[in-house]
Amino acid sequence: AQKITQTQPGMFVQEKEAVTLDCTYDTSDPSYGLFWYKQPSSGEMIFLIYQGSYDQQNATEGRYSLNFQKARKSANLVISASQLGDSAMYFCAMREGINDMRFGAGTRLTVKP
Amino acid sequence: NAGVTQTPKFRILKIGQSMTLQCTQDMNHNYMYWYRQDPGMGLKLIYYSVGAGITDKGEVPNGYNVSRSTTEDFPLRLELAAPSQTSVYFCASSPGTGYGKLFFGSGTQLSVL
């Protein structure tokens, strides 16, 4: 069964606008971590933001925030004030045990000038 | 501050050849991972290790082998390369506690022709 689902293969956003990238997950473990990584065309994996399952507040890192809705098992990434350099693939990931991290299929974001 | 270093960056193999992808980290992390990323897809776990001398299979281990003789090094061995192993390979590491993020290497692009 798919653990991480990203339903948007591609998204477009106008420069300086905000955009939300969707992510839902499936787990029966009460303890887990949720992550978002950015992969630009150069190929490296860049960590953006982390949310723990017991964290009471939504995580924020600069222009990135994670909209965590635990009951709905959703962990959407919000990018505010989009920049051209935000154009990339974005992966949602979950770590249930300490052993491995599972990734979604990704969303390709294109920022239009 | 090298982090996670992978070599080579690119490689072309003929069907049936073997090779070893090298991965080393200088952060004294206990946990190390090998992922593969097929074109347009997310990352899938091949093998992981929770410490020197301990390895275990991930989601897609067939056709690969690993060893972990030191904390720093986690090589991935491809035996009898097949076209289905054409992919980008990422090595990653993390500390052994909590649900921390993974630190990724820059990837190895492998083509099997």
Side-chain angles (χ1 to χ4, degrees):
Chain A
Q2 190 67 265
K3 290 274 190 178
I4 301 287
T5 303
Q6 295 180 252
T7 57
Q8 307 153 313
M11 288 282 287
F12 291 88
V13 64
Q14 206 66 38
E15 193 178 7
K16 300 180 184 176
E17 298 289 315
V19 63
T20 298
L21 306 184
D22 295 341
C23 174
T24 58
Y25 59 92
D26 181 28
T27 181
S28 56
D29 193 328
S31 298
Y32 53 90
L34 296 160
F35 303 79
W36 278 91
Y37 280 84
K38 172 184 179 181
Q39 187 178 44
S41 57
S42 53
E44 72 266 34
M45 295 292 286
I46 301 169
F47 167 75
L48 294 178
I49 196 166
Y50 163 79
Q51 178 85 43
S53 59
Y54 293 117
D55 293 343
Q56 295 296 313
Q57 293 191 321
N58 288 344
T60 59
E61 290 284 349
R63 294 187 298 111
Y64 304 108
S65 60
L66 199 152
N67 184 359
F68 180 44
Q69 299 188 43
K70 194 169 182 177
R72 301 173 87 174
K73 293 186 177 178
S74 111
N76 299 339
L77 177 70
V78 181
I79 306 175
S80 63
S82 297
Q83 302 171 355
L84 295 178
D86 293 335
S87 293
M89 281 290 286
Y90 288 81
F91 292 99
C92 179
M94 177 174 66
R95 198 173 184 187
E96 293 174 278
I98 53 177
N99 292 339
D100 75 280
M101 184 178 288
R102 297 294 175 104
F103 289 80
T107 296
R108 180 171 297 281
L109 177 66
T110 302
V111 180
K112 295 179 169 182
Chain B
N1 52 349
V4 180
T5 303
Q6 289 183 238
T7 56
K9 291 192 184 302
F10 303 93
R11 184 72 186 267
I12 298 174
L13 283 181
K14 293 183 179 178
I15 294 172
Q17 286 185 319
S18 300
M19 76 163 294
T20 299
L21 279 66
Q22 301 292 343
C23 176
T24 188
Q25 52 93 7
D26 62 359
M27 298 174 282
N28 202 33
H29 286 168
N30 288 324
Y31 288 69
M32 295 188 75
Y33 311 82
W34 275 105
Y35 286 89
R36 60 176 284 173
Q37 184 182 25
D38 297 331
M41 304 293 286
L43 280 68
K44 292 190 175 180
L45 183 67
I46 305 171
Y47 270 96
Y48 66 96
S49 169
V50 301
I54 306 169
T55 62
D56 208 346
K57 295 177 181 179
E59 219 179 334
V60 289
N62 292 343
Y64 307 94
N65 276 300
V66 294
S67 60
R68 183 99 181 267
S69 56
T70 66
T71 299
E72 294 78 20
D73 300 309
F74 189 41
L76 177 72
R77 178 85 177 158
L78 278 73
E79 303 282 1
L80 298 174
S84 61
Q85 293 177 304
T86 294
S87 192
V88 178
Y89 292 83
F90 286 98
C91 180
S93 72
S94 74
T97 57
Y99 295 91
K101 67 181 181 183
L102 268 57
F103 294 77
F104 282 89
S106 57
T108 295
Q109 189 164 331
L110 176 68
S111 296
V112 182
L113 305 175

